[in-house]
Amino acid sequence: MDVTHKTDDEQTAARWNGPAGHAWVEAQALLDEMFKPLEDLLVEAVSAEHGGRVLDVGCGTGGTALAVARRLGAESRCVGIDISAPMITAAQARAELEDTQTRFILGNAQDHAFEPAAFDAIISRFGVMFFDDSVRAFANLRRAARADAEIRFIAWRSPAENPFMTTAERAAAPFLPNLPARRPDAPGQFAFADQGRVHRILEESGWAGIDIQPIDATCTLPESELVRYFTLLGPVGLVLREADERTRAQVVETVRAAFAPYVHGAEVRYTAACWLVTARASSTSVTPE
Ligand SMILES: C[S@@+](CC[C@H](N)C(=O)[O-])C[C@H]1O[C@@H](n2cnc3c(N)ncnc32)[C@H](O)[C@@H]1O
């Protein structure tokens, strides 16, 4: 039998062009609202004085890139790049509703041939943890940044510090034996949990002035959206697509109960334990191939 194993890169592209990408498009308003405090940390830091050319990496459905463009005004030239066709299509549709010069590119930020030194700042909210080769990807981003430009991104700290994010899979595990195991450091939600690893990746890819700060943001969603949230998104959302009705009902009941500590009346509230990472594009040339 001829078995073809997909590389991490191919798996990432397939995942975000398939069910995960469609789920994020479907839940776009919910996710944008839930992650608004993190968006604010990126948007508040960009300023027209530093230049209006901003790249949003793994921009998804475009909320953060469009928020930056609104802040910087008519002169800004924001660009979002994402590997997911459904998410970029959604971002482009949102851009068409706004008076904006923001462009969205469908591509892999790891290898995309950006114009050298084209950006005054690079940002990302949870869009840089999925690279097959992170050093290569961050070196590619550094070449796209003008000398001294800042990169500022947000990534998750460890699963242990983010129990909300793993509540669904822990509760659903007895009913869903084919839930994929999380692999530490592998491309995925928690790939940047290890602060030392993030520092090494940035250093090896030519970034300087690296600063990695823990941030704890309070995120909320309406209680009325909680079941939709965990049945649509994350590993449980993906596996539930294949589940029969009985299993689905058991999972919904058990997982909803497991989320009880986070439910406060009509609101679900949790702490997002993240890293806020900043660095500057050094002029020293480091070109890992
Ligand atoms: C967790 S989502 C975050 C989306 C968006 N930044 C937000 O906060 O709503 C991660 C995003 O990274 C994108 N992505 C993953 N690997 C990528 C790559 N190699 N190049 C560009 N985008 C990538 C995914 O398609 C997805 O849209």
Side-chain angles (χ1 to χ4, degrees):
M1 192 170 63
D2 189 13
V3 178
T4 312
H5 292 289
K6 283 190 171 145
T7 62
D8 279 341
D9 217 19
E10 287 165 342
Q11 281 180 32
T12 297
R15 183 173 154 225
W16 289 107
N17 278 285
H22 289 287
W24 272 66
V25 170
E26 203 177 323
Q28 175 244 302
L30 169 66
L31 292 167
D32 275 348
E33 197 52 41
M34 184 168 93
F35 292 140
K36 178 82 170 51
L38 301 164
E39 174 185 296
D40 291 346
L41 285 173
L42 297 175
V43 175
E44 282 160 10
V46 295
S47 135
E49 287 160 38
H50 301 131
R53 303 170 306 164
V54 179
L55 174 66
D56 184 358
V57 181
C59 63
T61 56
T64 310
L66 291 169
V68 168
R70 282 193 293 275
R71 175 171 171 95
L72 295 182
E75 298 304 307
S76 70
R77 297 285 183 277
C78 296
V79 174
I81 183 165
D82 201 285
I83 205 167
S84 164
M87 291 171 88
I88 282 293
T89 301
Q92 282 163 342
R94 290 173 84 180
E96 276 166 25
L97 300 176
E98 298 197 22
D99 182 18
T100 181
Q101 304 271 6
T102 307
R103 284 191 308 122
F104 289 99
I105 302 170
L106 174 61
N108 185 341
Q110 179 170 305
D111 300 310
H112 183 76
F114 295 106
E115 186 191 327
F119 296 104
D120 302 306
I122 298 181
I123 60 162
S124 181
R125 182 182 66 184
F126 301 139
V128 293
M129 301 94 76
F130 304 92
F131 298 125
D132 183 30
D133 181 340
S134 294
V135 173
R136 187 185 167 100
F138 278 91
N140 193 39
L141 295 175
R142 187 186 53 76
R143 283 188 290 272
R146 68 155 166 74
D148 218 33
E150 185 182 75
I151 189 166
R152 170 177 285 254
F153 66 84
I154 294 172
W156 294 101
R157 302 208 306 274
S158 67
E161 291 166 283
N162 284 289
F164 178 88
M165 281 294 149
T166 52
T167 294
E169 64 210 68
R170 282 181 284 120
F175 307 102
L176 302 175
N178 50 346
L179 263 180
R182 303 253 188 193
R183 293 182 293 146
D185 295 350
Q189 181 177 13
F190 294 112
F192 277 17
D194 177 350
Q195 180 178 7
R197 178 167 183 263
V198 177
H199 198 283
R200 276 194 303 282
I201 288 168
L202 289 170
E203 203 165 48
E204 285 174 24
S205 52
W207 292 89
I210 301 159
D211 185 56
I212 306 177
Q213 296 293 332
I215 48 161
D216 291 316
T218 301
C219 294
T220 59
L221 67 152
E223 187 279 332
S224 55
E225 293 278 30
L226 180 56
V227 171
R228 190 165 84 98
Y229 169 79
F230 70 72
T231 54
L232 191 58
L233 295 153
V236 170
L238 289 183
V239 174
L240 267 187
R241 288 171 177 250
E242 315 291 317
D244 58 59
E245 275 311 307
R246 186 162 167 270
T247 308
R248 191 182 175 85
Q250 284 172 319
V251 168
V252 167
E253 192 186 338
T254 309
V255 174
R256 174 63 187 81
F259 273 112
Y262 301 100
V263 178
H264 306 277
E267 186 176 81
V268 178
R269 198 159 61 232
Y270 67 94
T271 301
C274 301
W275 298 120
L276 175 60
V277 182
T278 53
R280 298 217 157 266
S282 72
S283 46
T284 321
S285 178
V286 178
T287 316
E289 291 299 342

